[in-house]
Amino acid sequence: MPPNAKKATPPAAKTAPAAAEKSQAQRALEKLGLKRDIDLALHLPLRYEDETRIVMLKDARDGDLVQIEATVTDSQVSFRPRRQLRVTVDDGSDTCTLRFINFYPSHQKTLSVGARVRVRGELRGGFVSREMVHPSFKLAGGELPGALTPVYSTVAGLPQAYLRKAVLSGTSRADLSETIPGAFLQKTPSQAMLGLREALQFLHNPTPDVSLATLEDHTHPAWQRLKAEELLAQQLSQLQAKRIRAAMRAPALNGPAMRGPQCTLYEQLLERLPFRLTAAQQRVSDEIEQDLKKNVPMHRLLQGDVGSGKTVVAALAAMRCIDAGWQCALMAPTEILAEQHFRKLVAWLEPLGIKTAWLTGSQKAKERRESLAAIASGEAMLVVGTHAVIQDKVVFKNLALAIIDEQHRFGVAQRLALRSKMTVGGEEPHLLMMTATPIPRTLAMSYYADLDVSTIDELPPGRTPIVTKVVSDARRDEVIERIRHQLAEGRQVYWVCPLIEESESIDLVNATETHDSLSKALPGVLVGLLHSRMSVAEKKAVMGLFTDGLMGVLVSTTVIEVGVDVPNASLMVVEHAERFGLSQLHQLRGRVGRGAAASACVLLYSTGDAPRLGEMARSRLKAMAETNDGFEIARRDLEIRGPGEFLGARQSGAPLLRFADLAVDGDWLAWARELAPRMLDQHTELAHRHIARWLGGKADFLKA
Ligand code: ADP
Ligand code: MG
């Protein structure tokens, strides 16, 4: 069926909809989020159909989408090759067959012999005569529309005709008064600027002379106007969130409170580290320190490629906080990751006399009570854990800094909970979020405009680049040989199997089988298995053996995806690499190459029953083999998949851009960024109206 063939509107739909249908349609409108008049006005067409012209069959070519007016000369139900309605029509220049596989008595009635009908569909060369399959049709007569007919995205129970009417009346009722001051519209990336009302009316009801192409590729000035509006709303709301935050108070963490003449904890930790900070680590530490000294809550994202050394930067920030006499909390998305941070921090901080409390959901009641008591009394200056850290029972004595690792793994609701729980006596804690998935520049400037960003753009010295090989599953034996070699050198190996939710049990079988066959192939080597169905205690036991170097090979589903740090591991094998996303592969690869030994990553692919790898999978694996640079990977990932994936949790809350496309609308983004602060300062009232119009109730999410 051609994409533009729509189900014929039954004639009944042209009369006033019955009450029952109306309420069903009303519910469908709400389901689409079309509640306010302005929502209807901003529900823009997906595409347009050209019903303005009637063509003669003799002038139309096969493959054309045409509208004809013709007389029915024959109508039959035939049964071969299957039951179908075949209607022959003649427009005086030629004949054509209309074919319907699904049809109702009402079709037959309208298309009875002698009837004059208006038919719209794709013309194809048929067996005997030319034909249209499932065209739309109605009785001829009535005026031709003067303009292109908009087609809207809709849901079941909401016919286009009804939706179109609702949108038009919503548009005429909505308050579309200008919110962007005229002066701001003088200098824009587009020459011709339309007013908002003008632009919307045009898009819902374009004039006959418009070029369909400029509407479809969104270059028409009316589209430009909407992109501008939308990007401005996004910038304004983020700027507003930022300012609201700036008006809040946080403890200024200014140097040691009670350590007397001794070195600060910060200096002591630096002293004890077995390495020197890289210049990039020092720079971001200083940026964070500047924020912490202010009595305004920090809202900073620390991004750095896998292995760039974010943990120590976090620890140093914690020292600044504890030096000033305040508590710090560090939260990680998984228990394994949280525990790893805990161990590392305890090893660093215990000798400095700092007590670190551990909090997680799986903890024994007694241990948990002790942790809670130490946190409440302030005996524990640092708290490390999973999201258990933000549960109701947890009461801090004086929390001033919250650090969230792999922030995109946390939901919006969790982050909101964090903020509200940690606000004590009107003072907010400082917030440091960390991520190993660098955010491409355009995204940082749009979706994350309310964040300050620090970037570690350098890896610690002495790392040899990881060599990545893309290898067919058929050469598994060679890979096992390679593993033997690494083990003989005293190194350790990860073997990762995919775990995809829909087929979780099959994948578990797969991981278990891999574990068995590797155990057989490597006698005398401890091969471990880690998967998501194991209890936390089991996982910990396995991870512990690997971390301590007792286990040679760790077979795992993707639970090791983020954060684990075992510098002695030098080989990463990813099975069914074609099933992983690009940034996921990059994260996995980042588990090796953490020590001085030369490391490698083997991406095993399997084409299964297919003769070749799919296009997307191939470009992902190619990108992996070509570069180790996380920013480059992120850029390509954005190209392949679009922005949704990067936004993680933010995606579910913050409205995604509907009209603007960051890949082509960089100019408009720059315009909106320039304008937003001026508008908020000089035209505050208009700015608020603009935000409300575009974001309705959704602006709340931006505070997370
Ligand atoms: P990530 O940024 O991925 O969280 P980690 O903080 O886990 O990275 O650091 C990766 C490894 O590099 C750790 O073993 C850490 O101790 C080490 N490391 C961090 N900073 C340096 C440095 N400046 N010099 C040498 N090694 C470092
Ligand atoms: Mg990390």
Side-chain angles (χ1 to χ4, degrees), residues 123-358:
L123 199 61
R124 305 204 300 210
F127 202 56
V128 191
S129 70
R130 295 202 286 180
E131 63 175 24
M132 290 187 207
V133 179
H134 281 226
S136 57
F137 63 90
K138 58 185 172 195
L139 287 176
E143 280 193 20
L144 285 176
L148 297 174
T149 311
V151 179
Y152 297 94
S153 71
T154 186
V155 290
L158 186 60
Q160 281 293 330
Y162 186 95
L163 179 54
R164 216 173 281 158
K165 253 191 230 153
V167 164
L168 281 179
S169 61
T171 307
S172 64
R173 278 193 311 265
D175 168 19
L176 297 176
S177 55
E178 292 289 321
T179 43
I180 306 181
F184 291 177
L185 294 173
Q186 303 286 311
K187 251 176 61 190
T188 73
S190 167
Q191 330 273 260
M193 236 6 215
L194 293 180
L196 178 63
R197 174 173 290 282
E198 218 183 328
L200 283 171
Q201 278 173 345
F202 180 84
L203 291 173
H204 290 305
N205 206 358
T207 51
D209 56 343
V210 67
S211 117
L212 192 57
T214 62
L215 286 182
E216 295 197 325
D217 67 11
H218 294 188
T219 53
H220 190 279
W223 270 111
Q224 298 287 314
R225 174 62 202 247
L226 283 148
K227 291 174 173 204
E229 290 261 330
E230 178 176 50
L231 285 167
L232 185 60
Q234 190 195 42
Q235 291 298 320
L236 281 172
S237 67
Q238 302 212 28
L239 189 62
Q240 191 186 28
K242 195 167 179 170
R243 292 199 175 167
I244 290 173
R245 203 170 289 124
M248 295 190 286
R249 288 292 151 253
L253 304 176
N254 266 321
M258 54 198 180
R259 306 254 154 210
Q262 295 169 346
C263 289
T264 60
L265 291 167
Y266 182 95
E267 286 158 354
Q268 291 180 52
L269 175 58
L270 265 188
E271 190 85 349
R272 295 181 53 89
L273 288 177
F275 47 76
R276 287 173 55 109
L277 294 189
T278 61
Q281 283 171 319
Q282 188 62 60
R283 175 173 43 76
V284 300
S285 274
D286 292 345
E287 286 165 6
I288 292 166
E289 184 181 346
Q290 289 312 312
D291 280 0
L292 293 179
K293 280 183 178 165
K294 295 181 192 146
N295 62 352
V296 173
M298 169 168 77
H299 193 62
R300 186 171 285 277
L301 180 71
L302 171 59
Q303 58 177 3
D305 209 346
V306 274
S308 61
K310 294 183 290 295
T311 314
V312 68
V313 173
L316 287 169
M319 292 310 95
R320 287 288 184 215
C321 172
I322 299 170
D323 268 329
W326 293 78
Q327 283 175 305
C328 172
L330 183 130
M331 197 161 80
T334 66
E335 180 135 1
I336 286 190
L337 192 51
E339 169 148 7
Q340 183 179 287
H341 282 316
F342 179 70
R343 285 202 205 184
K344 190 170 247 176
L345 289 166
V346 166
W348 280 339
L349 306 187
E350 204 160 67
L352 308 183
I354 298 172
K355 182 175 162 66
T356 304
W358 169 241

Side-chain angles (χ1 to χ4, degrees), residues 306-307 309-311 337 340-341 405-406 434 436 562-564 591 594:
V306 274
K310 294 183 290 295
T311 314
L337 192 51
Q340 183 179 287
H341 282 316
D405 198 12
E406 304 297 343
M434 306 200 284
V562 283
V564 290
R591 297 309 110 215
R594 302 190 146 232

Side-chain angles (χ1 to χ4, degrees), residues 70-77 85-90 96 98 100 105-117 137 139:
T71 306
V72 178
T73 56
D74 188 30
S75 170
Q76 315 199 1
V77 176
L85 174 64
R86 294 171 156 275
V87 176
T88 309
V89 295
D90 184 340
C96 156
L98 316 180
F100 300 89
S106 64
H107 283 59
Q108 283 169 284
K109 205 169 145 218
T110 310
L111 295 169
S112 55
V113 173
R116 182 89 183 148
V117 286
F137 63 90
L139 287 176

